[in-house]
Amino acid sequence: MANSEEPRVVVIGGGTGMPVLLRGLKDLPIDLSAIVTVADDGGSSGRLRTEMAIPAPGDIRNVVAALSDAEPMLLELFQHRFVTNNGASLSGHSMGNLLLAAMASMTGDFYKGIKEISRVLNVRGNIYPIANHSMNLHAEMEDGTVVTGESSIPKQNKKIKRVYVSPTPVQPLPEAVSAIKSADLIVIAPGSLYTSIMPNIIIPEIGQALRETKAHVTYVCNVMTQKGETSGYTAGDHLQALFDHVGKGVINSIVVHNKPIEQDVKQAYAREKSEPVVYDIDRIKSMGIKVIEEDIIDHSQSMLRHDTDKLTRLLHSML
């Protein structure tokens, strides 16, 4: 159990950016909670969701792996993905997703299943699915068309006007709401703006809790734009989208990367129709948001990833 005197840090998100943050934070003397999206509908996660009528386990699985202190071999097993050539039913499934589905089935409850898996894999911190039931993400585009499904939204290559979830009302996990209300620091993790971050914070009670919390809320901004979601977006546009969905006053500061990005890396991303996010600092300041500029990238990788250690130090200093 965490010491009640320890600062309470809550990380909200999903996708690939969130585990990077959590891997570093789990080693700090803090009371750590992760609030994770369950709106995924692609791949193994989507198939299990449909077949077992459970919330999507994929993002939860990656968070469990990031926060676990289990033996490396056990974690490798947990993250193992079956690949068969004959299109067998196991093909594409991840072992961790199957374990989460099995535990949800055994305990009769998805969140209870996560708690049991967390115990078995020696997880540091609390993992809360944003909801304990399945939910669908929808996007209304600028041209008025509506697209359903987290995995289908970026494929449209249209400008997104807003996203919303169904069925309503979504019942957020009560533990997630109280974690936000009692936090000292809340970190909105880097990740897909509309499909990893928004599904968590557009739930009315969660938005309300973010507006009411005494915690400092910081948003770790993406370094690159994402094709089909944030093409052409500046950092200010990211913030504006968040405000449009949950109202002003929910975010106190933004963390941005302030060093140039290597030319060859830029070129690789340009082929994916992705470019560095422009930091329109004056506009952000005019929104009343504090700007925290740091070199937060892991320069040893060919793909741009946030650096776990640099971010951990930065966030720890904010406490």
Side-chain angles (χ1 to χ4, degrees):
M1 279 300 289
N3 174 350
S4 59
E5 298 305 303
E6 289 177 341
R8 294 175 178 173
V9 179
V10 173
V11 180
I12 303 176
T16 51
M18 189 173 193
V20 174
L21 275 184
L22 295 172
R23 269 195 292 275
L25 291 175
K26 76 174 180 190
D27 295 324
L28 295 180
I30 57 174
D31 180 346
L32 180 61
S33 298
I35 298 177
V36 192
T37 176
V38 292
D40 184 12
D41 66 345
S44 163
S45 211
R47 280 158 62 196
L48 286 170
R49 187 183 126 148
T50 310
E51 289 165 21
M52 308 266 306
I54 57 169
D59 289 291
I60 297 277
R61 182 192 84 244
N62 288 326
V63 166
V64 168
L67 289 176
S68 167
D69 272 339
E71 290 295 320
M73 192 55 164
L74 194 53
L75 279 183
E76 225 173 290
L77 174 68
F78 187 69
Q79 289 288 52
H80 176 74
R81 198 174 285 279
F82 294 96
V83 181
T84 60
N85 297 331
N86 55 7
S89 56
L90 261 183
S91 192
H93 271 310
S94 141
M95 186 69 192
N97 287 354
L98 294 172
L99 283 171
L100 281 161
M103 209 54 118
S105 171
M106 280 165 62
T107 58
D109 181 276
F110 184 62
Y111 172 51
K112 271 193 197 137
I114 294 169
K115 281 202 290 194
E116 286 302 316
I117 290 265
S118 297
R119 207 168 49 80
V120 172
L121 289 178
N122 208 4
V123 159
R124 292 200 200 178
N126 307 298
I127 301 174
Y128 302 127
I130 190 68
N132 209 10
H133 58 81
S134 209
M135 56 192 237
N136 292 303
L137 186 66
H138 312 272
E140 183 190 339
M141 303 297 181
E142 289 285 357
D143 66 2
T145 54
V146 170
V147 181
T148 294
E150 183 254 18
S151 58
S152 310
I153 292 168
K155 292 180 186 153
Q156 308 303 311
N157 264 326
K158 292 180 174 179
K159 202 158 162 41
I160 298 169
K161 183 178 176 187
R162 68 179 184 111
V163 289
Y164 57 98
V165 287
S166 70
T168 50
V170 171
Q171 303 291 332
L173 195 74
E175 289 85 346
V177 179
S178 52
I180 290 172
K181 286 182 175 167
S182 63
D184 296 303
L185 175 67
I186 296 172
V187 185
I188 298 176
S192 304
L193 180 64
Y194 289 103
T195 53
S196 289
I197 297 168
M198 292 292 194
N200 296 305
I201 64 177
I202 56 179
I203 296 169
E205 286 94 323
I206 297 290
Q208 187 69 20
L210 280 170
R211 283 190 291 273
E212 289 172 2
T213 183
K214 301 275 189 287
H216 180 92
V217 182
T218 192
Y219 169 53
V220 181
C221 192
N222 293 333
V223 181
M224 304 298 284
T225 62
Q226 188 177 355
K227 181 179 177 234
E229 284 206 36
T230 54
S231 299
Y233 273 43
T234 63
D237 292 332
H238 281 76
L239 285 171
Q240 192 56 53
L242 290 163
F243 294 158
D244 289 345
H245 281 77
V246 279
K248 277 202 163 58
V250 285
I251 294 169
N252 307 111
S253 66
I254 183 171
V255 176
V256 297
H257 175 65
N258 68 349
K259 291 281 179 286
I261 290 157
E262 286 81 6
Q263 207 50 46
D264 53 337
V265 176
K266 268 195 209 168
Q267 282 163 351
Y269 273 91
R271 288 194 283 276
E272 305 286 319
K273 302 272 189 290
S274 170
E275 70 225 355
V277 171
V278 173
Y279 299 125
D280 39 354
I281 304 290
D282 292 340
R283 176 183 170 201
I284 296 168
K285 286 180 175 163
S286 74
M287 292 170 151
I289 305 292
K290 184 181 176 198
V291 181
I292 300 164
E293 298 181 74
E294 284 281 341
D295 174 3
I296 49 172
I297 291 304
D298 178 351
H299 295 279
S300 67
Q301 306 221 24
S302 58
M303 293 306 282
L304 277 178
R305 291 280 174 266
H306 284 89
D307 186 301
T308 301
D309 299 332
K310 291 176 187 172
L311 270 175
T312 303
R313 282 197 297 273
L314 175 65
L315 294 170
H316 194 216
S317 72
M318 291 169 72
L319 289 164

